[in-house]
Amino acid sequence: MMRRTRIKDLLAKESAGGEVLVQGWVRTRRSSRNVSFVQINDGSTLRDLQVVVEESCPDFGLAESLATGCSVSIAGELVDSPGRGQKYEVRARTVEMLGAADPEEYPLQKKRHTLEFLREIAHLRPRTNTFGAMARVRNATAFAIHSFFQSRGFLYIQTPIITASDAEGAGAMFRVTTLDASNPPRKDGAVDFGEDFFGKPAFLTVSGQLEVETFATSLSDVYTFGPTFRAENSNTARHLAEFWMVEPEVAFCDLGGLADLAEDFLKYVFRYVLDHCPEDIAFFEQWYHKGAVANLEGIINSRFERLTYTEAVKLLEQSGETFEYPVKWGLDLQSEHERYLTEKKIGRPVVVTDYPREIKAFYMRLNEDGKTVRAMDVLAPGIGEIIGGSQREERLEALRERMRQAGLHEAPYWWYLDLRRYGTVPHAGFGLGFERTVQFITGMQNIRDVIAFPRTPKSAEF
């Protein structure tokens, strides 16, 4: 039995000739005299393959009935195409319909649909050029992330999705429970989570960082790459309730070493995607973001600037710009501030370090001045913050004091404190939001359009 050849591989052949089997979904069909021209796509490439079905083909009648959306299996000869813009086509010998699609009901017809409409049919939108390209770019980006860390000897650690701790102190977490929501057991007037599956409150994780630190302090160089969850009731174009995070953790590393790692990491990932998805990136450049390629090349070819938070605030105060949000030492930088620094003032990516301790998480290492912590944000033109990280607080008493200041009880973090009791070492790590990175690469404006099945308030259908 003849094996299927992907359209991408067919179009990459050095010459035409030979029998091939192609299978995919019909994009369009048209007739001219006694010939039927069928455009099919199998998702392996942005380009369609034209199949020519002549009247002499025994399945010509079937070919004439093919409609957009149906699936087909076609055997024939690969020949040079006389048409413009296509290298090869297939002259059909047999045509088989695998699955019909009623043209009166199939929602993806020839017209270009809005992204808002496509979100309502997330199960079918991968068949469009936009979301086929998105899937291939997302796949290449994920592969590049793993390749970068694996090539440097990092170990991939799968951290838990269910957790009893809140790494960020954000509080907006999804609860995981087997208790009867309509009639939970109670003790002293409150819900008795001792009767729950885990015997205590449990949640979907907001970060794998704390858990992966346990492996960094044993195996040195590790990373986690998995789903994380935030229960913020936000419907903006920048927020998802479920998204993926990349979080390396490196033992025997300070903030300077972490900044170098982050710079190398971003350049590697962007270079890989440009090299392996040129057609798809060109598609996004044409339809969604003029300058997408230049943005990526600019980062790849730039030396990242290093600034302290204090220096950044001074530059912003002296800028003469009118910002929507105030600029003042002690306040967090907003997207407009970050983009001013990268796009107007410095003109390339910036690593901002040493933020005020009050606006950063408890686990970040306190500087000698007692006012700032060894935190860093990597800011990129066009998006602002793309990576956030820090050198971790490895000193037991300093960490305990930071937890007290943050109002955290030590008991749930006993194991995290143990890492500082038994062979503590300097270590550092960062987090990169995978969807925000794919957004930056493609230039897509809404984060719901760079993930297969967006989870947002009142939306978990697919």
Side-chain angles (χ1 to χ4, degrees), residues 71-138:
S71 55
V72 293
S73 180
I74 298 174
E77 182 185 3
L78 185 69
V79 299
D80 291 317
S81 176
R84 298 175 64 181
Q86 52 192 26
K87 187 177 181 182
Y88 304 126
E89 62 188 26
V90 170
R91 185 176 296 129
R93 179 172 49 81
T94 64
V95 178
E96 178 186 1
M97 182 191 293
L98 301 177
D102 187 339
E104 298 298 320
E105 298 181 358
Y106 185 60
L108 296 176
Q109 297 298 334
K110 294 180 182 179
K111 68 177 182 179
R112 191 169 180 224
H113 300 285
T114 66
L115 296 175
E116 289 79 7
F117 170 74
L118 293 177
R119 286 179 213 132
E120 298 174 4
I121 52 169
H123 59 302
L124 293 175
R125 68 179 184 169
R127 296 191 189 181
T128 65
N129 283 338
T130 295
F131 289 95
M134 181 61 63
R136 289 185 293 271
V137 169
R138 188 178 169 103

Side-chain angles (χ1 to χ4, degrees), residues 64-268:
E64 286 283 278
S65 71
L66 295 176
T68 300
C70 67
S71 55
V72 293
S73 180
I74 298 174
E77 182 185 3
L78 185 69
V79 299
D80 291 317
S81 176
R84 298 175 64 181
Q86 52 192 26
K87 187 177 181 182
Y88 304 126
E89 62 188 26
V90 170
R91 185 176 296 129
R93 179 172 49 81
T94 64
V95 178
E96 178 186 1
M97 182 191 293
L98 301 177
D102 187 339
E104 298 298 320
E105 298 181 358
Y106 185 60
L108 296 176
Q109 297 298 334
K110 294 180 182 179
K111 68 177 182 179
R112 191 169 180 224
H113 300 285
T114 66
L115 296 175
E116 289 79 7
F117 170 74
L118 293 177
R119 286 179 213 132
E120 298 174 4
I121 52 169
H123 59 302
L124 293 175
R125 68 179 184 169
R127 296 191 189 181
T128 65
N129 283 338
T130 295
F131 289 95
M134 181 61 63
R136 289 185 293 271
V137 169
R138 188 178 169 103
N139 172 74
T141 306
F143 188 86
I145 288 166
H146 284 293
S147 296
F148 174 82
F149 289 118
Q150 293 293 324
S151 69
R152 293 192 170 213
F154 281 64
L155 298 180
Y156 175 36
I157 307 299
Q158 297 79 36
T159 51
I161 290 175
I162 300 174
T163 181
S165 63
D166 179 359
E168 300 296 329
M173 303 176 73
F174 289 102
R175 190 181 297 280
V176 177
T177 181
T178 57
L179 297 179
D180 183 350
S182 61
N183 187 30
R186 294 186 174 274
K187 185 176 181 181
D188 299 327
V191 175
D192 183 8
F193 288 102
E195 297 293 318
D196 207 350
F197 185 90
F198 294 106
K200 64 175 70 174
F203 309 89
L204 296 180
T205 185
V206 298
S207 169
Q209 178 210 313
L210 300 189
E211 289 85 356
V212 84
E213 279 190 54
T214 66
F215 281 82
T217 54
S218 300
L219 305 175
S220 298
D221 304 321
V222 298
Y223 71 104
T224 183
F225 183 6
T228 55
F229 308 85
R230 299 285 170 88
E232 298 171 2
N233 188 16
S234 176
N235 273 300
T236 76
R238 294 166 53 90
H239 290 89
L240 289 168
E242 176 183 338
F243 55 97
W244 286 61
M245 286 287 291
V246 181
E247 296 175 295
E249 201 72 30
V250 193
F252 314 106
C253 181
D254 61 12
L255 193 65
L258 186 70
D260 291 341
L261 179 71
E263 180 173 345
D264 292 347
F265 170 67
L266 287 177
K267 291 179 176 179
Y268 179 97

